[in-house]
Amino acid sequence: MTKAIQHTVIIGGSSGIGLATARKLLGPDMKVTITGRNEDKLKSAWKSLGGAAEKAAFDASKPDEVRQFFERLGPFDHLVLAASGGKGLGPFPALDLSDIGSGVEEKVRPQLSCLQAALPTLNKAGSVTFISAVSAQLATPGVAGIAAINGMLLTVVPILAMELKPLRVNVVAPGVIDTPWWDFLAEEQRQALFADYAGRTPVGRIGRAEDVAAAIAFLVSNGFMTGQVLTCDGGLRFAA
Ligand SMILES: NC(=O)c1ccc[n+]([C@@H]2O[C@H](COP(=O)([O-])OP(=O)(O)OC[C@H]3O[C@@H](n4cnc5c(N)ncnc54)[C@H](OP(=O)(O)O)[C@@H]3O)[C@@H](O)[C@H]2O)c1
């Protein structure tokens, strides 16, 4: 009997972890649609996948655009939520608390909004994978703001796994991963930060987008995994 082709949608699939996940999942049994806001970036990501994926440009923080995208798309099997915020890092005494609200608007709300809009067409035998961050599991100075934002996603996952069953709902919590997420830092600063984290990480390096993509692919493909937080951080959680 031939295996049915499945379809994964990756929100935030034009770069970093989302793009690596598209590369990992694409194959004869898996169709992939990648999304992002920036059309040029999305097009070059699509080209890097050999044009084998589908692509759609829209802003996941805009509910109307999200709703229209899922209405147009039709039925699909797996949803990966990689849309990103970049706010909330830094020492607590100087933290601009409005960054927590912005982080929620840029990351938490878009991820939840995509899942909500996807529910009518997302295969109940499929899966959703959120991407949070290990910052929400660390007791280390300087991450309180970003942990507050990412912690929301860790909190909702077991609840949604029960409420939306049999749909499987999981979350990956990446450590420090070398992706364009860090482009807000100057090259020298970024390399110094990466070297510092590599030194503190038990496996002796920071992560690659492919490391996290493999964790996501496991959650997408394993039909017995739901309600789980999969930390993919090289052991940083226990060392930082
Ligand atoms: N890199 C790390 O060290 C690290 C660590 C922990 C957690 N994470 C999390 O991992 C996830 C993926 O991040 P990454 O490192 O792969 O960063 P990235 O390379 O900057 O990728 C972010 C992706 O999300 C898209 N995106 C952002 N906001 C969007 C929106 N409102 N609507 C649609 N698409 C949107 C971006 O495309 P456009 O810009 O074109 O919209 C891009 O495709 C994020 O949730 C991030 O917080 C990353």
Side-chain angles (χ1 to χ4, degrees):
M1 207 170 75
T2 52
K3 218 172 154 192
I5 297 174
Q6 298 213 316
H7 183 183
T8 298
V9 173
I10 304 175
I11 305 295
S14 61
S15 163
I17 293 167
L19 178 56
T21 304
R23 195 164 284 122
K24 174 91 184 159
L25 291 178
L26 258 175
D29 298 330
M30 186 67 82
K31 179 180 159 180
V32 171
T33 296
I34 56 170
T35 84
R37 289 166 299 188
N38 181 315
E39 292 206 28
D40 291 339
K41 194 165 140 185
L42 187 62
K43 196 167 174 192
S44 88
W46 172 78
K47 275 193 187 154
S48 80
L49 297 170
E54 302 289 317
K55 59 178 168 41
F58 68 93
D59 186 341
S61 69
K62 301 205 169 125
D64 284 351
E65 294 188 22
V66 169
R67 191 176 35 76
Q68 283 162 18
F69 166 72
F70 285 106
E71 279 173 6
R72 271 197 311 270
L73 183 82
F76 69 106
D77 304 288
H78 305 279
L79 180 62
V80 175
L81 297 161
S84 175
K87 303 253 167 52
L89 265 180
F92 182 73
L95 187 65
D96 180 348
L97 293 181
S98 69
D99 281 354
I100 296 181
S102 309
V104 171
E105 287 304 310
E106 290 169 10
K107 177 162 179 174
V108 180
R109 192 185 157 116
Q111 294 202 18
L112 291 173
S113 154
C114 284
L115 174 56
Q116 205 174 44
L119 285 176
T121 47
L122 178 53
N123 185 349
K124 298 289 175 283
S127 71
V128 53
T129 307
F130 289 94
I131 304 185
S132 174
V134 77
S135 52
Q137 301 173 308
L138 298 177
T140 193
V143 301
I146 203 157
I149 297 158
N150 283 289
M152 290 187 195
L153 294 174
L154 298 188
T155 305
V156 297
V157 158
I159 300 164
L160 293 178
M162 290 307 294
E163 187 170 342
L164 303 178
K165 66 186 182 185
L167 180 68
R168 296 183 298 106
V169 184
N170 294 296
V171 57
V172 170
V176 174
I177 313 296
D178 185 359
T179 72
W181 190 88
W182 294 98
D183 283 357
F184 68 94
L185 292 175
E187 175 67 16
E188 208 172 298
Q189 267 181 302
R190 193 166 63 236
Q191 290 313 328
L193 180 138
F194 284 175
D196 176 45
Y197 272 105
R200 288 195 266 156
T201 300
V203 301
R205 65 171 176 87
I206 60 156
R208 306 179 190 102
E210 291 71 22
D211 296 320
V212 186
I216 294 168
F218 165 68
L219 293 173
V220 168
S221 64
N222 191 315
F224 210 51
M225 293 293 293
T226 194
Q228 298 301 314
V229 177
L230 183 52
T231 302
C232 182
D233 68 343
L236 179 65
R237 180 182 177 189
F238 305 109

